[in-house]
Amino acid sequence: MQRNARGRSIRMYLLDGSTTGLIFAEIVNWTGMAVVVQRSNLAEFLNRPEAQKAGCYILAGQDPDDPFRPLVYVGESEVVGKRLREHDADEEKAFFQRAIVFISKDENLTKAHVRHLEKQLTERIKEAGRTTPMHSNEPGGASLPEADRSDMDYYLDQAGIVLPALGLDILRPIMTAYTRPTKNKIDVPTSGVERILFSFSVGDARATATENRGDFVVLKGSIARGSETPSYPKTYKALREKLRADGTLQRKPGADTYEFTRDTPFDSPTAAAAVIYGTSISGPANWKISGTEQTYGQFRERSLETATMFDSSTAVDTEESNKSGGGVSPAE
């Protein structure tokens, strides 16, 4: 577990009992609330008191030019429902399929607060690098007292926890800026966490990667094969083309290979391996702990074997002992 990590409880209320209706998400001891509004349910949201509050919101939909990332628009309003109604009639906002609205459970969010949240949320999305918010005008923000700025920073921290649980993971930064490894470890200086380094060496491809919070990250300087097989799956082919188009993969002069120009996250070791080698290939079988012959698959298998399984009988015995006021004495 990451140093200083703490557990969180997220409470979700599905208004009509389904995931397609209005969803209300809260965190214990957070005065904020997130409301997920499917575009088809906008009228239902407008009839609720939450729509009359000041709030900051994210419009989210599929990017038509990039199927591997969402298209988002960040906005704010003193009456958030009114602004969503305007966006629904705006042809330039035709992309959005749902809105995630951030409001307060009390009446403490003012116009200045939500303008500040809009600017800071936009900046955090840009810094994370998982998508780029679309905007007709750059958010201006608002001047707040120091205490209020601190409160809003905390508010945004909680929003960053809620968003991935709602299926919009756009605030989690892509891991970059490493201290390079010396053997089979990699140090992430911002967290003080040491992570295992994996290597891929098949044909002309030479790559290194590490895992970070659900991402399998191929590191800058890795080399991908230049050619692709005729049976190359369309999904990986499209992803490869995207990485070439945005400059992540650049052709090496005089060679039939590409070089990664930045640290690049993938959903799995297999996706990374397929993009690197230009064909369907097993990630668990071909990624190895750097400097060893142990594959990623073997590493995962051993990790699971050493995991301590929960013993329900022991838990029951302990609970009964606590109820009776008993325990095991040193003599026993």
Side-chain angles (χ1 to χ4, degrees), residues 10-322:
I10 299 177
R11 180 174 179 263
M12 291 192 192
Y13 174 56
L14 281 58
L15 185 65
D16 65 1
S18 75
T19 56
T20 57
L22 295 179
I23 301 175
F24 299 82
E26 308 174 42
I27 296 178
V28 175
N29 296 326
W30 179 39
T31 60
M33 172 189 289
V35 186
V36 182
V37 185
Q38 300 293 337
R39 193 165 189 168
S40 58
N41 295 328
L42 181 55
E44 185 176 4
F45 175 69
L46 295 178
N47 287 326
R48 294 189 58 87
E50 293 86 0
Q52 305 305 312
K53 292 191 172 189
C56 182
Y57 57 87
I58 301 173
L59 306 181
Q62 190 65 52
D63 188 339
D65 297 322
D66 187 348
F68 298 99
R69 72 174 186 173
L71 187 61
V72 299
Y73 175 94
V74 181
E76 55 79 23
S77 177
E78 204 165 9
V79 181
V80 70
K82 179 182 178 182
R83 186 59 56 81
L84 292 183
R85 185 200 297 266
E86 293 171 354
H87 288 321
D88 187 60
D90 184 355
E91 290 186 2
E92 293 185 359
K93 305 300 187 304
F95 74 91
F96 93 87
Q97 300 163 332
R98 59 176 174 155
I100 299 180
V101 180
F102 292 99
I103 56 176
S104 176
K105 287 182 283 189
D106 51 32
E107 303 300 325
N108 287 336
L109 280 184
T110 66
K111 175 67 172 179
H113 288 129
V114 296
R115 287 188 64 194
H116 178 83
L117 286 174
E118 177 195 31
K119 181 176 178 60
Q120 295 302 315
L121 182 57
T122 300
E123 289 182 355
R124 290 195 183 193
I125 293 172
K126 289 180 179 178
E127 289 171 1
R130 294 181 182 273
T131 189
T132 302
M134 58 177 291
H135 264 292
S136 52
N137 296 302
E138 194 69 21
S143 178
L144 291 177
E146 183 177 356
D148 285 33
R149 291 199 305 270
S150 179
D151 288 342
M152 292 303 97
D153 284 344
Y154 176 78
Y155 188 103
L156 284 173
D157 289 342
Q158 307 316 298
I161 295 172
V162 168
L163 275 172
L166 298 175
L168 193 62
D169 190 9
I170 56 175
L171 290 182
R172 182 166 54 95
I174 295 173
M175 186 174 61
T176 57
Y178 298 110
T179 299
R180 292 299 164 181
T182 55
K183 190 178 178 183
N184 63 350
K185 300 284 186 179
I186 189 165
D187 179 54
V188 185
T190 55
S191 65
V193 176
E194 203 177 45
R195 302 191 187 281
I196 293 176
L197 184 70
F198 299 98
S199 297
F200 179 95
S201 180
V202 181
D204 295 334
R206 299 286 185 276
T208 52
T210 191
E211 289 184 300
N212 182 53
R213 295 189 177 185
D215 286 333
F216 193 82
V217 185
V218 175
L219 303 186
K220 177 181 177 180
S222 295
I223 302 299
R225 191 172 71 155
S227 59
E228 302 166 1
T229 62
S231 60
Y232 195 37
K234 292 182 179 179
T235 301
Y236 294 140
K237 184 178 181 67
L239 179 54
R240 220 175 192 238
E241 290 176 352
K242 169 190 175 297
L243 295 177
R244 285 198 295 262
D246 67 17
T248 300
L249 284 176
Q250 287 192 355
R251 176 79 70 171
K252 287 183 68 66
D256 187 24
T257 56
Y258 291 96
E259 181 175 359
F260 281 81
T261 62
R262 59 178 69 95
D263 297 341
T264 307
F266 290 89
D267 291 338
S268 68
T270 293
V275 167
I276 289 168
Y277 202 56
T279 190
S280 293
I281 187 170
S282 170
N286 288 282
W287 285 101
K288 299 179 180 179
I289 293 180
S290 184
T292 76
E293 289 301 311
Q294 184 178 349
T295 67
Y296 178 90
Q298 292 167 339
F299 161 74
R300 287 285 299 160
E301 185 177 350
R302 291 181 183 180
S303 297
L304 296 176
E305 286 176 353
T306 58
T308 303
M309 295 295 290
F310 176 72
D311 189 339
S312 58
S313 62
T314 302
V316 172
D317 292 344
T318 302
E319 183 179 352
E320 292 300 322
S321 176
N322 289 338

